[in-house]
Amino acid sequence: MRKNMGFGREFADTVALKALGWLVAQEEILPVFLGASGTAPAELRERAGEPDFLLSVLDFIVMDDAWVTAFCDAAGLDYSAPMTARAALPGGGDMSWT
């Protein structure tokens, strides 16, 4: 059952934290995220409350449709949830993919 929990900040934080939890459990792609973001494994928990870090988690996951699908299937979310959550986080509406 897929659910879309709403579109506010609470929704965005929840989706982003679920995405971080999912990402941490992915042994193959977690090192890619750590390298791309410059984040040390020990920093993951302390940065989990930072909106800019949560944006980076969502940005990373939405780079690959397979990751979006796997995350959303695991979390029981609609496939649009990561982008919807990203847009609801501070700074998330400012996207430029040039």
Side-chain angles (χ1 to χ4, degrees), residues 38-79:
T39 305
E43 293 178 282
L44 291 173
R45 182 169 289 160
E46 65 190 52
R47 298 210 52 212
E50 299 174 13
D52 62 328
F53 181 70
L54 294 176
L55 277 174
S56 73
V57 169
L58 293 172
D59 282 345
F60 180 79
I61 289 175
V62 301
M63 288 187 341
D64 189 313
D65 288 344
W67 298 343
V68 171
T69 301
F71 162 61
C72 290
D73 286 348
L77 295 169
D78 188 85
Y79 297 140

mmCIF file of all heavy atoms in Angstrom, residues 38-79:
data_model
loop_
_atom_site.group_PDB
_atom_site.id
_atom_site.type_symbol
_atom_site.label_atom_id
_atom_site.label_comp_id
_atom_site.label_asym_id
_atom_site.label_seq_id
_atom_site.Cartn_x
_atom_site.Cartn_y
_atom_site.Cartn_z
ATOM 1 N N GLY A 38 30.976 13.912 0.841
ATOM 2 C CA GLY A 38 32.072 14.272 1.727
ATOM 3 C C GLY A 38 31.744 14.050 3.194
ATOM 4 O O GLY A 38 32.360 14.637 4.076
ATOM 5 N N THR A 39 30.775 13.200 3.446
ATOM 6 C CA THR A 39 30.330 12.919 4.806
ATOM 7 C C THR A 39 31.031 11.681 5.334
ATOM 8 O O THR A 39 31.122 10.672 4.637
ATOM 9 C CB THR A 39 28.806 12.683 4.832
ATOM 10 O OG1 THR A 39 28.147 13.804 4.243
ATOM 11 C CG2 THR A 39 28.296 12.481 6.241
ATOM 12 N N ALA A 40 31.502 11.750 6.554
ATOM 13 C CA ALA A 40 32.097 10.589 7.215
ATOM 14 C C ALA A 40 30.982 9.749 7.832
ATOM 15 O O ALA A 40 29.957 10.300 8.264
ATOM 16 C CB ALA A 40 33.070 11.039 8.297
ATOM 17 N N PRO A 41 31.151 8.435 7.885
ATOM 18 C CA PRO A 41 30.111 7.590 8.484
ATOM 19 C C PRO A 41 29.690 8.048 9.880
ATOM 20 O O PRO A 41 28.504 8.008 10.217
ATOM 21 C CB PRO A 41 30.754 6.205 8.526
ATOM 22 C CG PRO A 41 31.750 6.221 7.408
ATOM 23 C CD PRO A 41 32.270 7.635 7.377
ATOM 24 N N ALA A 42 30.628 8.514 10.670
ATOM 25 C CA ALA A 42 30.318 8.956 12.034
ATOM 26 C C ALA A 42 29.445 10.208 12.061
ATOM 27 O O ALA A 42 28.807 10.503 13.072
ATOM 28 C CB ALA A 42 31.601 9.200 12.803
ATOM 29 N N GLU A 43 29.401 10.952 10.965
ATOM 30 C CA GLU A 43 28.618 12.188 10.897
ATOM 31 C C GLU A 43 27.148 11.967 10.562
ATOM 32 O O GLU A 43 26.338 12.881 10.730
ATOM 33 C CB GLU A 43 29.186 13.119 9.827
ATOM 34 C CG GLU A 43 30.552 13.664 10.111
ATOM 35 C CD GLU A 43 31.022 14.532 8.965
ATOM 36 O OE1 GLU A 43 31.452 13.970 7.931
ATOM 37 O OE2 GLU A 43 30.920 15.766 9.094
ATOM 38 N N LEU A 44 26.791 10.797 10.080
ATOM 39 C CA LEU A 44 25.438 10.570 9.585
ATOM 40 C C LEU A 44 24.383 10.882 10.631
ATOM 41 O O LEU A 44 23.407 11.580 10.345
ATOM 42 C CB LEU A 44 25.280 9.133 9.085
ATOM 43 C CG LEU A 44 26.057 8.801 7.818
ATOM 44 C CD1 LEU A 44 25.967 7.317 7.515
ATOM 45 C CD2 LEU A 44 25.558 9.624 6.643
ATOM 46 N N ARG A 45 24.555 10.376 11.820
ATOM 47 C CA ARG A 45 23.543 10.582 12.865
ATOM 48 C C ARG A 45 23.468 12.043 13.279
ATOM 49 O O ARG A 45 22.386 12.611 13.431
ATOM 50 C CB ARG A 45 23.852 9.703 14.078
ATOM 51 C CG ARG A 45 22.802 9.857 15.164
ATOM 52 C CD ARG A 45 22.930 8.840 16.244
ATOM 53 N NE ARG A 45 22.522 7.554 15.675
ATOM 54 C CZ ARG A 45 22.846 6.388 16.179
ATOM 55 N NH1 ARG A 45 23.576 6.312 17.241
ATOM 56 N NH2 ARG A 45 22.431 5.283 15.616
ATOM 57 N N GLU A 46 24.622 12.690 13.455
ATOM 58 C CA GLU A 46 24.589 14.079 13.930
ATOM 59 C C GLU A 46 24.077 15.046 12.874
ATOM 60 O O GLU A 46 23.521 16.080 13.207
ATOM 61 C CB GLU A 46 25.960 14.509 14.444
ATOM 62 C CG GLU A 46 27.046 14.557 13.392
ATOM 63 C CD GLU A 46 28.437 14.754 13.978
ATOM 64 O OE1 GLU A 46 28.816 14.006 14.882
ATOM 65 O OE2 GLU A 46 29.128 15.666 13.488
ATOM 66 N N ARG A 47 24.216 14.708 11.593
ATOM 67 C CA ARG A 47 23.751 15.599 10.522
ATOM 68 C C ARG A 47 22.310 15.328 10.106
ATOM 69 O O ARG A 47 21.749 16.064 9.297
ATOM 70 C CB ARG A 47 24.673 15.468 9.309
ATOM 71 C CG ARG A 47 26.099 15.892 9.669
ATOM 72 C CD ARG A 47 26.898 16.460 8.578
ATOM 73 N NE ARG A 47 26.246 17.528 7.879
ATOM 74 C CZ ARG A 47 26.438 17.757 6.580
ATOM 75 N NH1 ARG A 47 27.248 17.008 5.875
ATOM 76 N NH2 ARG A 47 25.828 18.764 5.987
ATOM 77 N N ALA A 48 21.698 14.276 10.660
ATOM 78 C CA ALA A 48 20.354 13.874 10.253
ATOM 79 C C ALA A 48 19.301 14.954 10.487
ATOM 80 O O ALA A 48 18.264 14.946 9.845
ATOM 81 C CB ALA A 48 19.949 12.589 10.975
ATOM 82 N N GLY A 49 19.551 15.911 11.358
ATOM 83 C CA GLY A 49 18.592 16.970 11.614
ATOM 84 C C GLY A 49 18.813 18.226 10.801
ATOM 85 O O GLY A 49 18.056 19.188 10.923
ATOM 86 N N GLU A 50 19.825 18.233 9.942
ATOM 87 C CA GLU A 50 20.148 19.415 9.148
ATOM 88 C C GLU A 50 19.402 19.383 7.810
ATOM 89 O O GLU A 50 19.581 18.447 7.027
ATOM 90 C CB GLU A 50 21.650 19.476 8.874
ATOM 91 C CG GLU A 50 22.503 19.563 10.122
ATOM 92 C CD GLU A 50 23.986 19.486 9.827
ATOM 93 O OE1 GLU A 50 24.380 19.610 8.641
ATOM 94 O OE2 GLU A 50 24.751 19.282 10.782
ATOM 95 N N PRO A 51 18.583 20.396 7.539
ATOM 96 C CA PRO A 51 17.827 20.403 6.282
ATOM 97 C C PRO A 51 18.708 20.279 5.034
ATOM 98 O O PRO A 51 18.330 19.575 4.089
ATOM 99 C CB PRO A 51 17.100 21.754 6.300
ATOM 100 C CG PRO A 51 16.977 22.088 7.748
ATOM 101 C CD PRO A 51 18.230 21.534 8.389
ATOM 102 N N ASP A 52 19.866 20.930 5.017
ATOM 103 C CA ASP A 52 20.716 20.839 3.831
ATOM 104 C C ASP A 52 21.266 19.425 3.637
ATOM 105 O O ASP A 52 21.417 18.953 2.512
ATOM 106 C CB ASP A 52 21.843 21.870 3.868
ATOM 107 C CG ASP A 52 22.794 21.681 5.032
ATOM 108 O OD1 ASP A 52 22.365 21.232 6.112
ATOM 109 O OD2 ASP A 52 23.992 22.004 4.873
ATOM 110 N N PHE A 53 21.538 18.731 4.724
ATOM 111 C CA PHE A 53 21.998 17.347 4.619
ATOM 112 C C PHE A 53 20.872 16.450 4.128
ATOM 113 O O PHE A 53 21.082 15.585 3.271
ATOM 114 C CB PHE A 53 22.542 16.853 5.963
ATOM 115 C CG PHE A 53 23.057 15.447 5.895
ATOM 116 C CD1 PHE A 53 24.216 15.150 5.194
ATOM 117 C CD2 PHE A 53 22.376 14.418 6.525
ATOM 118 C CE1 PHE A 53 24.684 13.847 5.115
ATOM 119 C CE2 PHE A 53 22.838 13.118 6.455
ATOM 120 C CZ PHE A 53 23.998 12.833 5.756
ATOM 121 N N LEU A 54 19.670 16.659 4.655
ATOM 122 C CA LEU A 54 18.528 15.870 4.204
ATOM 123 C C LEU A 54 18.256 16.111 2.719
ATOM 124 O O LEU A 54 17.901 15.183 1.985
ATOM 125 C CB LEU A 54 17.295 16.189 5.049
ATOM 126 C CG LEU A 54 17.400 15.777 6.525
ATOM 127 C CD1 LEU A 54 16.160 16.217 7.294
ATOM 128 C CD2 LEU A 54 17.638 14.292 6.678
ATOM 129 N N LEU A 55 18.448 17.348 2.269
ATOM 130 C CA LEU A 55 18.332 17.633 0.833
ATOM 131 C C LEU A 55 19.347 16.820 0.038
ATOM 132 O O LEU A 55 19.028 16.277 -1.017
ATOM 133 C CB LEU A 55 18.559 19.124 0.553
ATOM 134 C CG LEU A 55 17.379 20.050 0.741
ATOM 135 C CD1 LEU A 55 17.816 21.499 0.577
ATOM 136 C CD2 LEU A 55 16.261 19.727 -0.218
ATOM 137 N N SER A 56 20.577 16.734 0.553
ATOM 138 C CA SER A 56 21.609 15.981 -0.165
ATOM 139 C C SER A 56 21.261 14.498 -0.233
ATOM 140 O O SER A 56 21.555 13.843 -1.235
ATOM 141 C CB SER A 56 22.988 16.198 0.463
ATOM 142 O OG SER A 56 23.118 15.529 1.701
ATOM 143 N N VAL A 57 20.636 13.969 0.806
ATOM 144 C CA VAL A 57 20.205 12.565 0.790
ATOM 145 C C VAL A 57 19.156 12.357 -0.305
ATOM 146 O O VAL A 57 19.261 11.438 -1.121
ATOM 147 C CB VAL A 57 19.649 12.138 2.167
ATOM 148 C CG1 VAL A 57 18.959 10.788 2.090
ATOM 149 C CG2 VAL A 57 20.759 12.128 3.210
ATOM 150 N N LEU A 58 18.156 13.227 -0.321
ATOM 151 C CA LEU A 58 17.110 13.103 -1.336
ATOM 152 C C LEU A 58 17.658 13.341 -2.735
ATOM 153 O O LEU A 58 17.306 12.619 -3.675
ATOM 154 C CB LEU A 58 15.955 14.059 -1.026
ATOM 155 C CG LEU A 58 15.172 13.722 0.244
ATOM 156 C CD1 LEU A 58 14.177 14.834 0.564
ATOM 157 C CD2 LEU A 58 14.472 12.381 0.136
ATOM 158 N N ASP A 59 18.528 14.329 -2.891
ATOM 159 C CA ASP A 59 19.143 14.586 -4.200
ATOM 160 C C ASP A 59 19.889 13.362 -4.697
ATOM 161 O O ASP A 59 19.834 13.017 -5.879
ATOM 162 C CB ASP A 59 20.101 15.773 -4.134
ATOM 163 C CG ASP A 59 19.404 17.111 -4.152
ATOM 164 O OD1 ASP A 59 18.209 17.169 -4.503
ATOM 165 O OD2 ASP A 59 20.059 18.114 -3.808
ATOM 166 N N PHE A 60 20.595 12.705 -3.806
ATOM 167 C CA PHE A 60 21.359 11.524 -4.184
ATOM 168 C C PHE A 60 20.427 10.401 -4.635
ATOM 169 O O PHE A 60 20.633 9.795 -5.686
ATOM 170 C CB PHE A 60 22.231 11.059 -3.011
ATOM 171 C CG PHE A 60 23.050 9.852 -3.329
ATOM 172 C CD1 PHE A 60 24.225 9.971 -4.070
ATOM 173 C CD2 PHE A 60 22.666 8.593 -2.898
ATOM 174 C CE1 PHE A 60 24.983 8.857 -4.381
ATOM 175 C CE2 PHE A 60 23.419 7.482 -3.193
ATOM 176 C CZ PHE A 60 24.582 7.603 -3.943
ATOM 177 N N ILE A 61 19.397 10.135 -3.860
ATOM 178 C CA ILE A 61 18.498 9.031 -4.195
ATOM 179 C C ILE A 61 17.775 9.271 -5.510
ATOM 180 O O ILE A 61 17.619 8.350 -6.317
ATOM 181 C CB ILE A 61 17.514 8.760 -3.038
ATOM 182 C CG1 ILE A 61 18.286 8.131 -1.864
ATOM 183 C CG2 ILE A 61 16.375 7.842 -3.473
ATOM 184 C CD1 ILE A 61 17.476 7.927 -0.618
ATOM 185 N N VAL A 62 17.359 10.508 -5.771
ATOM 186 C CA VAL A 62 16.609 10.763 -7.007
ATOM 187 C C VAL A 62 17.500 10.780 -8.249
ATOM 188 O O VAL A 62 16.982 10.885 -9.357
ATOM 189 C CB VAL A 62 15.747 12.054 -6.928
ATOM 190 C CG1 VAL A 62 14.751 11.951 -5.783
ATOM 191 C CG2 VAL A 62 16.586 13.294 -6.831
ATOM 192 N N MET A 63 18.794 10.611 -8.081
ATOM 193 C CA MET A 63 19.679 10.521 -9.242
ATOM 194 C C MET A 63 19.467 9.232 -10.030
ATOM 195 O O MET A 63 19.839 9.152 -11.198
ATOM 196 C CB MET A 63 21.153 10.594 -8.817
ATOM 197 C CG MET A 63 21.585 11.947 -8.378
ATOM 198 S SD MET A 63 23.361 12.162 -8.059
ATOM 199 C CE MET A 63 24.022 10.560 -7.825
ATOM 200 N N ASP A 64 18.876 8.225 -9.401
ATOM 201 C CA ASP A 64 18.723 6.930 -10.060
ATOM 202 C C ASP A 64 17.294 6.419 -9.824
ATOM 203 O O ASP A 64 16.891 6.231 -8.674
ATOM 204 C CB ASP A 64 19.750 5.950 -9.482
ATOM 205 C CG ASP A 64 19.825 4.641 -10.234
ATOM 206 O OD1 ASP A 64 18.756 4.053 -10.523
ATOM 207 O OD2 ASP A 64 20.938 4.180 -10.521
ATOM 208 N N ASP A 65 16.577 6.179 -10.901
ATOM 209 C CA ASP A 65 15.197 5.708 -10.776
ATOM 210 C C ASP A 65 15.111 4.398 -9.996
ATOM 211 O O ASP A 65 14.141 4.168 -9.271
ATOM 212 C CB ASP A 65 14.561 5.514 -12.149
ATOM 213 C CG ASP A 65 14.250 6.824 -12.858
ATOM 214 O OD1 ASP A 65 14.230 7.881 -12.183
ATOM 215 O OD2 ASP A 65 14.035 6.795 -14.084
ATOM 216 N N ALA A 66 16.114 3.547 -10.136
ATOM 217 C CA ALA A 66 16.104 2.275 -9.406
ATOM 218 C C ALA A 66 16.196 2.514 -7.900
ATOM 219 O O ALA A 66 15.579 1.781 -7.112
ATOM 220 C CB ALA A 66 17.254 1.379 -9.874
ATOM 221 N N TRP A 67 16.951 3.528 -7.494
ATOM 222 C CA TRP A 67 17.061 3.846 -6.060
ATOM 223 C C TRP A 67 15.735 4.405 -5.546
ATOM 224 O O TRP A 67 15.305 4.068 -4.449
ATOM 225 C CB TRP A 67 18.178 4.835 -5.793
ATOM 226 C CG TRP A 67 19.541 4.341 -6.160
ATOM 227 C CD1 TRP A 67 19.922 3.051 -6.387
ATOM 228 C CD2 TRP A 67 20.706 5.137 -6.351
ATOM 229 N NE1 TRP A 67 21.258 2.995 -6.710
ATOM 230 C CE2 TRP A 67 21.766 4.260 -6.693
ATOM 231 C CE3 TRP A 67 20.962 6.494 -6.285
ATOM 232 C CZ2 TRP A 67 23.061 4.708 -6.942
ATOM 233 C CZ3 TRP A 67 22.255 6.931 -6.533
ATOM 234 C CH2 TRP A 67 23.288 6.052 -6.850
ATOM 235 N N VAL A 68 15.109 5.263 -6.342
ATOM 236 C CA VAL A 68 13.805 5.817 -5.954
ATOM 237 C C VAL A 68 12.798 4.682 -5.782
ATOM 238 O O VAL A 68 12.097 4.609 -4.776
ATOM 239 C CB VAL A 68 13.289 6.839 -6.998
ATOM 240 C CG1 VAL A 68 11.844 7.242 -6.702
ATOM 241 C CG2 VAL A 68 14.187 8.059 -7.038
ATOM 242 N N THR A 69 12.758 3.805 -6.739
ATOM 243 C CA THR A 69 11.822 2.682 -6.696
ATOM 244 C C THR A 69 12.090 1.802 -5.477
ATOM 245 O O THR A 69 11.170 1.443 -4.741
ATOM 246 C CB THR A 69 11.918 1.854 -7.990
ATOM 247 O OG1 THR A 69 11.612 2.704 -9.102
ATOM 248 C CG2 THR A 69 10.961 0.681 -7.978
ATOM 249 N N ALA A 70 13.355 1.457 -5.252
ATOM 250 C CA ALA A 70 13.706 0.582 -4.125
ATOM 251 C C ALA A 70 13.369 1.243 -2.791
ATOM 252 O O ALA A 70 12.798 0.600 -1.897
ATOM 253 C CB ALA A 70 15.181 0.211 -4.184
ATOM 254 N N PHE A 71 13.713 2.513 -2.654
ATOM 255 C CA PHE A 71 13.412 3.227 -1.410
ATOM 256 C C PHE A 71 11.914 3.314 -1.179
ATOM 257 O O PHE A 71 11.412 2.985 -0.101
ATOM 258 C CB PHE A 71 14.037 4.626 -1.407
ATOM 259 C CG PHE A 71 13.418 5.533 -0.387
ATOM 260 C CD1 PHE A 71 13.462 5.218 0.954
ATOM 261 C CD2 PHE A 71 12.747 6.681 -0.776
ATOM 262 C CE1 PHE A 71 12.856 6.046 1.905
ATOM 263 C CE2 PHE A 71 12.149 7.507 0.157
ATOM 264 C CZ PHE A 71 12.205 7.190 1.506
ATOM 265 N N CYS A 72 11.178 3.761 -2.174
ATOM 266 C CA CYS A 72 9.736 3.946 -2.013
ATOM 267 C C CYS A 72 9.032 2.616 -1.771
ATOM 268 O O CYS A 72 8.097 2.554 -0.960
ATOM 269 C CB CYS A 72 9.159 4.671 -3.218
ATOM 270 S SG CYS A 72 9.688 6.409 -3.303
ATOM 271 N N ASP A 73 9.461 1.565 -2.448
ATOM 272 C CA ASP A 73 8.878 0.250 -2.196
ATOM 273 C C ASP A 73 9.136 -0.177 -0.756
ATOM 274 O O ASP A 73 8.234 -0.682 -0.080
ATOM 275 C CB ASP A 73 9.441 -0.796 -3.159
ATOM 276 C CG ASP A 73 8.881 -0.664 -4.569
ATOM 277 O OD1 ASP A 73 7.905 0.081 -4.780
ATOM 278 O OD2 ASP A 73 9.442 -1.327 -5.468
ATOM 279 N N ALA A 74 10.347 0.027 -0.273
ATOM 280 C CA ALA A 74 10.692 -0.360 1.104
ATOM 281 C C ALA A 74 9.921 0.464 2.133
ATOM 282 O O ALA A 74 9.537 -0.047 3.184
ATOM 283 C CB ALA A 74 12.194 -0.215 1.330
ATOM 284 N N ALA A 75 9.696 1.747 1.824
ATOM 285 C CA ALA A 75 9.030 2.646 2.769
ATOM 286 C C ALA A 75 7.513 2.686 2.585
ATOM 287 O O ALA A 75 6.815 3.299 3.381
ATOM 288 C CB ALA A 75 9.598 4.057 2.632
ATOM 289 N N GLY A 76 7.019 2.057 1.522
ATOM 290 C CA GLY A 76 5.576 2.088 1.252
ATOM 291 C C GLY A 76 5.087 3.447 0.802
ATOM 292 O O GLY A 76 3.956 3.838 1.097
ATOM 293 N N LEU A 77 5.939 4.174 0.102
ATOM 294 C CA LEU A 77 5.613 5.527 -0.348
ATOM 295 C C LEU A 77 5.386 5.563 -1.848
ATOM 296 O O LEU A 77 5.911 4.736 -2.596
ATOM 297 C CB LEU A 77 6.751 6.491 0.004
ATOM 298 C CG LEU A 77 7.025 6.715 1.478
ATOM 299 C CD1 LEU A 77 8.336 7.456 1.666
ATOM 300 C CD2 LEU A 77 5.881 7.477 2.118
ATOM 301 N N ASP A 78 4.660 6.557 -2.290
ATOM 302 C CA ASP A 78 4.490 6.826 -3.703
ATOM 303 C C ASP A 78 5.844 7.233 -4.285
ATOM 304 O O ASP A 78 6.652 7.877 -3.616
ATOM 305 C CB ASP A 78 3.472 7.957 -3.884
ATOM 306 C CG ASP A 78 3.107 8.149 -5.328
ATOM 307 O OD1 ASP A 78 2.213 7.424 -5.790
ATOM 308 O OD2 ASP A 78 3.724 9.011 -5.981
ATOM 309 N N TYR A 79 6.067 6.881 -5.544
ATOM 310 C CA TYR A 79 7.355 7.187 -6.176
ATOM 311 C C TYR A 79 7.639 8.683 -6.283
ATOM 312 O O TYR A 79 8.772 9.087 -6.485
ATOM 313 C CB TYR A 79 7.447 6.529 -7.546
ATOM 314 C CG TYR A 79 7.392 5.010 -7.492
ATOM 315 C CD1 TYR A 79 6.675 4.299 -8.436
ATOM 316 C CD2 TYR A 79 8.043 4.302 -6.484
ATOM 317 C CE1 TYR A 79 6.612 2.910 -8.388
ATOM 318 C CE2 TYR A 79 7.987 2.915 -6.429
ATOM 319 C CZ TYR A 79 7.274 2.231 -7.382
ATOM 320 O OH TYR A 79 7.224 0.857 -7.324
#
